[in-house]
Amino acid sequence: MIFYFSGTGNSRWVAQFLSDELSDTLRFIPDELGTDMHYTLKDGERLGFVFPTYGWGVPPFIEQFIGKMRVDNVGYLYFVTTCGDDTGMTAEIFCDIVARKGWLCQLGYAVQMPESYVCLPGFDVDPKPKEQRKLDAVPDRMHQIVDDIVDGRGGFDTLPGAMPWAKSHIVRPFFNRFLVNPRHFKVNDQCVGCGICVKACPFGNISLADNKHPQWHEHCVQCMRCYHTCPHRAIEWGRFTRGKGQYLHNRD
Ligand SMILES: Cc1cc2nc3c(=O)[nH]c(=O)nc-3n(C[C@H](O)[C@H](O)[C@H](O)COP(=O)(O)O)c2cc1C
């Protein structure tokens, strides 16, 4: 069974690839939130998690989901995180989260994919050649991951990058506290009130106000799907997204 989340489609592609190759069931985490979140694995069934790296760690809502879910008969457990650059100590953070459930994470991988974070100065989507280079490297990496999972191997290859401790233990708390905030979303005068962002939000967190402009409610995880999906390039987060690019995996 594979639990996954994806904002702009990278992790969705990875999760779908694993599901196809391993014949394991896929479950999209936002769809699971309204259920009893109680799962029973068959003997020998693997438990996988696929998610984007956010702020050099596991996105807080993934941590909350894992904290609340109940899974019977857990054996081999792995994760794959997609990232634009590097993941800091995401592997250690994930292992701690599942250890609190009494589970052991055997395998962890990071897969570098096109950048989706645009909310701070210096962060933008990748230029097209870089985007293509990253996408070209993904299939080989995925075959390596599938081979490891099929053989039940252990180990971690998670692209920690430079200064992983500082990123995950100093920058990350600041990031989660101050930079994950739906109040900074707004629209510019390109907004035509089409409501595409309302349908795109994986958490149903956006509605249209009386003036037909979107309003963001409190359950935003900052996946940026609304920003990247808007066909009119009308959504901004604070003032730092002005003039920046958009990305969706395969226009997913
Ligand atoms: C809120 C947010 C935080 C991010 N933080 C990181 C990060 O710490 N390190 C990194 O390499 N990429 C980071 N990224 C980029 C994404 O991890 C990367 O583009 C990922 O593949 C997106 O996956 P998705 O398409 O499944 O949503 C971040 C993206 C967002 C939206």
Side-chain angles (χ1 to χ4, degrees):
M1 198 174 286
I2 301 168
F3 292 90
Y4 78 99
F5 175 76
S6 181
T8 50
N10 290 338
S11 312
R12 178 189 301 277
W13 188 90
V14 165
Q16 188 66 57
F17 186 97
L18 292 174
S19 167
D20 292 345
E21 294 286 321
L22 302 168
S23 302
D24 286 348
T25 322
L26 264 190
R27 289 178 186 262
F28 186 47
I29 290 173
D31 292 343
E32 299 302 308
L33 296 178
T35 72
D36 65 0
M37 296 188 270
H38 186 191
Y39 312 91
T40 303
L41 302 180
K42 297 188 215 90
D43 286 345
E45 188 176 351
R46 300 168 280 246
L47 178 59
F49 292 88
V50 180
F51 55 88
T53 294
Y54 283 176
W56 296 285
V58 178
F61 67 96
I62 303 279
E63 174 168 358
Q64 284 155 19
F65 173 71
I66 295 174
K68 285 186 191 148
M69 74 192 304
R70 281 187 298 151
V71 189
D72 300 327
N73 208 15
V74 175
Y76 185 78
L77 191 160
Y78 66 91
F79 77 88
V80 180
T81 185
T82 69
C83 62
D85 290 304
D86 52 53
T87 72
M89 295 185 70
T90 298
E92 289 82 351
I93 293 167
F94 183 85
C95 290
D96 282 352
I97 291 169
V98 297
R100 276 182 246 135
K101 308 286 289 186
W103 305 336
L104 175 69
C105 177
Q106 269 109 335
L107 185 77
Y109 264 100
V111 180
Q112 213 179 47
M113 293 189 80
E115 182 62 67
S116 63
Y117 189 70
V118 290
C119 300
L120 283 177
F123 288 84
D124 200 347
V125 299
D126 294 321
K128 284 288 163 198
K130 186 173 181 188
E131 178 184 311
Q132 198 53 53
R133 266 201 311 279
K134 285 181 175 176
L135 291 173
D136 289 345
V138 171
D140 281 353
R141 182 96 170 145
M142 288 309 302
H143 285 294
Q144 183 186 342
I145 296 172
V146 167
D147 287 349
D148 278 3
I149 295 172
V150 168
D151 291 345
R153 279 184 217 133
F156 295 87
D157 181 357
T158 53
L159 311 174
M163 298 193 291
W165 192 90
K167 284 171 176 165
S168 295
H169 292 292
I170 298 176
V171 184
R172 178 171 174 256
F174 173 86
F175 183 91
N176 286 336
R177 173 82 177 78
F178 297 107
L179 298 177
V180 179
N181 190 339
R183 283 193 290 274
H184 296 311
F185 278 111
K186 59 186 179 196
V187 284
N188 58 36
D189 54 15
Q190 306 291 318
C191 180
V192 297
C194 63
I196 287 176
C197 52
V198 174
K199 293 199 194 91
C201 177
F203 288 95
N205 189 54
I206 306 174
S207 61
L208 288 190
D210 291 343
N211 64 0
K212 294 278 178 226
H213 282 180
Q215 48 188 2
W216 284 261
H217 304 284
E218 287 308 308
H219 296 292
C220 178
V221 302
Q222 199 98 1
C223 73
M224 303 306 290
R225 186 171 180 81
C226 54
Y227 165 92
H228 290 287
T229 306
C230 176
H232 307 285
R233 187 50 197 86
I235 294 177
E236 307 283 5
W237 189 88
R239 53 201 170 90
F240 297 125
T241 53
R242 241 179 265 158
K244 294 204 176 157
Q246 291 176 299
Y247 167 78
L248 284 180
H249 188 91
N250 284 338
R251 301 305 308 161
D252 170 37

